[in-house]
Amino acid sequence: RRAMSELLSVLLALKPLPQASPRAVTWWGRATHALFLQAIAQRDAELANQLHDAGQLHPFSVSNLLGRFGRRGELQPDQVYAVRLTACRADVCQALLNALEPGGLLSEGSQVELDYQPFEVRPLGELPPELSQWRSQADYSTLASPYLLAAQPPPRRLRLQFASPTTFKSNEQHLPLPLPRLVFGNLLERWNAVAPLAFPPELQRYIDQCLTLNRYDLRTRAVTLKEGLLRVGMVGWAEFATLNYDRYWMSLIATLARFARYSGVGAGVSLGLGQMRWLEG
């Protein structure tokens, strides 16, 4: 029997079918969200309903449609596009894995719709090889063990990639800024919502007092969500450093950085925003 995954990041390769319209779509996050819930509902309608009503702390994330588009954002009929789907709870992981198996909605050869546009699920080998670095699965113990079991000292600096527009809700405003308290505070909240072992609330104090934004290469990007709502997020990378190195607290910080590729960070992770990973090494 296959071991139960608690953390999962999968890719879908999608090729537009001939009847797909060339019309431009500026952001596909809501469509990939709908596809994700449809795939879960095929095997577990109750779970899909729970995920739909999960509020801000969704135990999953989805990406925008990834690939090359026309000048106005229209689909290219000869292109194979990618969608990334993640889960950070065991039941969601299992439902997503079921959807990828033969007969599942997301299985190779199936036809799916994104924003009423038809696609065929193609073999992953048709995607650019650099995308494969986003595919992974783990459980919470293996994610945390390198640092929490003292196998290796945690780093003093961490460089994080914001691969899709990322913004944080703070004081009723959206801030497209990678302030340590926003980035790691949000990851801590997400971790404690789903992980079997919660991290202590004192970690937030260490984040506030000892983590600093060291270097960055960021730019803003506007995304149009439902009904013309414009959301501005940041993309690029940011490096964080500690002003007071503590092995225990930095072990927790490093674990949160590893967790980010599965949870996403900030507002709108279920709509394609906040896709993030730690650029280790």
Side-chain angles (χ1 to χ4, degrees):
R1 178 173 172 81
R2 181 177 55 205
M4 181 75 79
S5 291
E6 296 175 312
L7 298 157
L8 186 64
S9 173
V10 302
L11 291 172
L12 289 182
L14 300 175
K15 186 173 178 62
L17 291 171
Q19 61 267 38
S21 162
R23 69 185 175 85
V25 176
T26 56
W27 188 254
W28 296 81
R30 185 163 293 277
T32 54
H33 173 100
L35 178 64
F36 180 94
L37 292 181
Q38 187 184 356
I40 300 297
Q42 184 190 31
R43 303 288 175 93
D44 193 336
E46 183 179 347
L47 176 59
N49 287 332
Q50 290 173 8
L51 296 176
H52 183 268
D53 299 330
Q56 283 300 306
L57 294 178
H58 291 87
F60 70 94
S61 77
V62 304
S63 75
N64 191 25
L65 191 64
L66 308 172
R68 290 208 300 269
F69 298 85
R71 273 192 296 182
R72 292 187 302 276
E74 52 281 52
L75 291 171
Q76 303 295 288
D78 58 339
Q79 278 289 304
V80 177
Y81 294 88
V83 163
R84 180 171 171 260
L85 310 172
T86 79
C88 50
R89 206 173 70 194
D91 57 341
V92 186
C93 288
Q94 191 57 55
L96 183 53
L97 287 170
N98 290 342
L100 295 165
E101 291 177 348
L105 184 72
L106 306 180
S107 60
E108 196 175 304
S110 296
Q111 292 189 13
V112 299
E113 279 193 357
L114 284 175
D115 202 17
Y116 306 105
Q117 301 301 305
F119 293 81
E120 181 188 359
V121 181
R122 301 291 299 164
L124 287 176
E126 297 183 14
L127 292 177
E130 60 268 19
L131 282 175
S132 64
Q133 61 198 351
W134 286 96
R135 293 178 63 210
S136 57
Q137 65 186 90
D139 56 47
Y140 282 95
S141 62
T142 57
L143 189 82
S145 61
Y147 301 113
L148 295 185
L149 297 184
Q152 61 191 87
R156 295 174 180 272
R157 292 182 176 82
L158 304 96
R159 182 171 291 196
L160 305 181
Q161 178 191 9
F162 300 94
S164 72
T166 303
T167 184
F168 299 92
K169 195 165 186 183
S170 177
N171 298 325
E172 303 306 313
Q173 296 181 342
H174 281 279
L175 290 178
L177 294 171
L179 301 177
R181 66 177 176 81
L182 297 178
V183 175
F184 289 97
N186 187 262
L187 290 172
L188 174 61
E189 187 179 12
R190 292 182 182 280
W191 173 279
N192 283 347
V194 291
L197 178 65
F199 286 168
E202 291 81 14
L203 178 56
Q204 184 66 56
R205 188 163 56 208
Y206 182 82
I207 292 167
D208 292 343
Q209 295 178 358
C210 299
L211 281 192
T212 182
L213 178 61
N214 197 38
R215 302 169 63 199
Y216 58 86
D217 183 3
L218 296 165
R219 58 196 179 278
T220 55
R221 183 178 165 201
V223 171
T224 304
L225 300 177
K226 63 177 181 179
E227 290 139 18
L229 175 66
L230 199 67
R231 184 71 46 80
V232 176
M234 61 183 175
V235 293
W237 60 263
E239 184 179 275
F240 301 88
T242 176
L243 300 172
N244 180 17
Y245 184 79
D246 179 280
R247 183 164 180 155
Y248 172 69
W249 293 120
M250 285 306 294
S251 291
L252 301 187
I253 293 294
T255 301
L256 291 179
R258 299 187 84 196
F259 173 64
R261 69 159 54 227
Y262 302 103
S263 67
V265 71
V269 301
S270 68
L271 298 173
L273 303 176
Q275 298 266 294
M276 191 183 92
R277 67 187 177 112
W278 178 14
L279 298 173
E280 294 187 64

